[in-house]
Amino acid sequence: MSQFTVQTLLDTGTVRVRDVLCSGECRHKSDEECTAATHLVFPYRGVFVRHVGRNDAVAEANQLLFFNNAEGYRISHPVEGGDSCLDLVVEEAQLQELTPKEQLRSGSAVAFRRQRRRIDPRAQALVAVLRHSLSRNIAETLEAETLALTLVRRSLGERTSHAAGASAGRQKLVDRAKLVLSSDLSRRWTLAEIAAEVGVSPVYLTQVFQQVEAMPLYRYHLRMRLARALDLLGRYDNLTTLGLDLGFSSHSHFSSAFRQVYGRTPAEFQRSIKPR
């Protein structure tokens, strides 16, 4: 039985959007594979690691992953639970127009220099809106295409995305910390616990994480938990229970944090993804 479940949500001449669920059975590196087009992959649940040569990237809900056409890669799942991603393929001429030239390799085909970028909360929210709207047949084709291209434009924008600018060693340290956090998003981690798991001092961990991700470790963890809330809002009727399940101390704590990051409360967001 395949470990993948793939649902095509939209397929026009301009953009194809798929919802891809992976059971995460492959804990070690998979056999090498490649894609027949350049894919923009937005993880929204769970975590996996993508290996391109000697370069590894942790894929989680704060990141956009680039799967370049014909570029070999392997996948592993060091954390149990599998993952879910929104997968976009944009028509090549349109993707070329949307992408800042400095992010692309030289050549005629569209290929990204880096294999990931960090996206901002608005892009995370667009991922959720696009997925919920298409899976529930709320959005018409024109609206969905516009949402998809807006998501791509925002995710590639220099002001709204971030490429890590540190050494490979420091990036690996930060990635190990992300895997620790992903192993239990609802846990109230202490800095000492995370530092012990990755084998460095708490002071060094906070310094390196800030340098690599341009935000404090605690804020990044909060973003991961809130991104999970975006995924689950369509399934929960009781938002207090959702907040508690994600490790927030109360509904007001959850609602306040959600609104501060996404600009509206969980209840308001939930109403926006319900059938009209």
Side-chain angles (χ1 to χ4, degrees):
M1 182 180 295
S2 173
Q3 61 177 316
F4 291 98
T5 302
V6 180
Q7 179 185 9
T8 299
L9 302 178
L10 179 72
D11 193 355
T12 71
T14 302
V15 61
R16 184 174 79 233
V17 181
R18 302 185 306 164
D19 194 8
V20 181
L21 282 65
C22 178
S23 63
E25 296 168 8
C26 182
R27 301 299 297 276
H28 302 289
K29 290 183 183 179
S30 66
D31 294 334
E32 188 171 82
E33 51 191 310
C34 64
T35 61
T38 295
H39 291 240
L40 278 63
V41 175
F42 297 85
Y44 65 84
R45 182 191 63 81
V47 63
F48 64 90
V49 180
R50 182 169 180 261
H51 312 270
V52 179
R54 295 184 178 181
N55 184 266
D56 300 339
V58 172
E60 41 79 23
N62 287 307
Q63 305 289 333
L64 159 63
L65 275 289
F66 303 109
F67 286 62
N68 290 327
N69 180 17
E71 180 178 66
Y73 66 89
R74 300 175 191 270
I75 298 293
S76 64
H77 289 85
V79 176
E80 293 182 354
D83 65 86
S84 301
C85 301
L86 199 68
D87 177 285
L88 273 65
V89 175
V90 180
E91 191 271 325
E92 189 166 292
Q94 308 305 317
L95 185 57
Q96 187 100 39
E97 185 175 342
L98 285 165
T99 307
K101 289 183 174 55
E102 60 272 16
Q103 295 183 27
L104 297 175
R105 299 174 184 170
S106 58
S108 57
V110 176
F112 289 86
R113 293 180 180 273
R114 298 177 180 270
Q115 64 163 322
R116 61 178 163 186
R117 293 186 73 82
R118 179 166 55 77
I119 58 175
D120 72 348
R122 185 174 173 186
Q124 286 183 330
L126 282 170
V127 170
V129 169
L130 180 61
R131 183 174 65 85
H132 287 301
S133 297
L134 286 172
S135 63
R136 297 179 179 201
N137 294 315
I138 298 173
E140 296 183 358
T141 301
L142 180 60
E143 180 184 0
E145 286 183 303
T146 303
L147 279 173
L149 294 182
T150 300
L151 170 61
V152 173
R153 183 183 298 108
R154 183 162 193 93
S155 300
L156 300 178
E158 293 298 336
R159 292 185 177 182
T160 53
S161 63
H162 171 76
S167 67
R170 291 190 169 197
Q171 181 66 68
K172 286 183 177 180
L173 171 62
V174 167
D175 280 347
R176 291 204 304 272
K178 291 179 185 178
L179 290 175
V180 171
L181 294 174
S182 298
S183 68
D184 189 351
L185 282 180
S186 63
R187 177 172 168 176
R188 297 184 182 182
W189 293 94
T190 68
L191 188 57
E193 289 171 338
I194 302 168
E197 289 283 344
V198 300
V200 298
S201 74
V203 170
Y204 186 71
L205 176 60
T206 56
Q207 291 174 339
V208 171
F209 201 98
Q210 176 73 44
Q211 179 192 25
V212 173
E213 290 298 336
M215 70 169 64
L217 177 61
Y218 77 87
R219 188 172 296 279
Y220 201 94
H221 182 218
L222 175 64
R223 288 269 303 273
M224 293 172 74
R225 292 157 66 203
L226 291 174
R228 181 66 175 141
L230 285 174
D231 171 35
L232 294 173
L233 275 171
R235 305 183 205 172
Y236 274 73
D237 293 325
N238 190 321
L239 295 180
T240 299
T241 301
L242 173 58
L244 294 175
D245 286 350
L246 290 173
F248 292 93
S249 60
S250 64
H251 174 71
S252 61
H253 179 207
F254 170 48
S255 184
S256 175
F258 191 98
R259 183 170 187 170
Q260 186 174 23
V261 170
Y262 298 121
R264 46 184 163 172
T265 66
E268 290 169 339
F269 191 92
Q270 191 177 58
R271 286 195 292 270
S272 74
I273 60 175
K274 287 185 175 179
R276 296 160 188 165

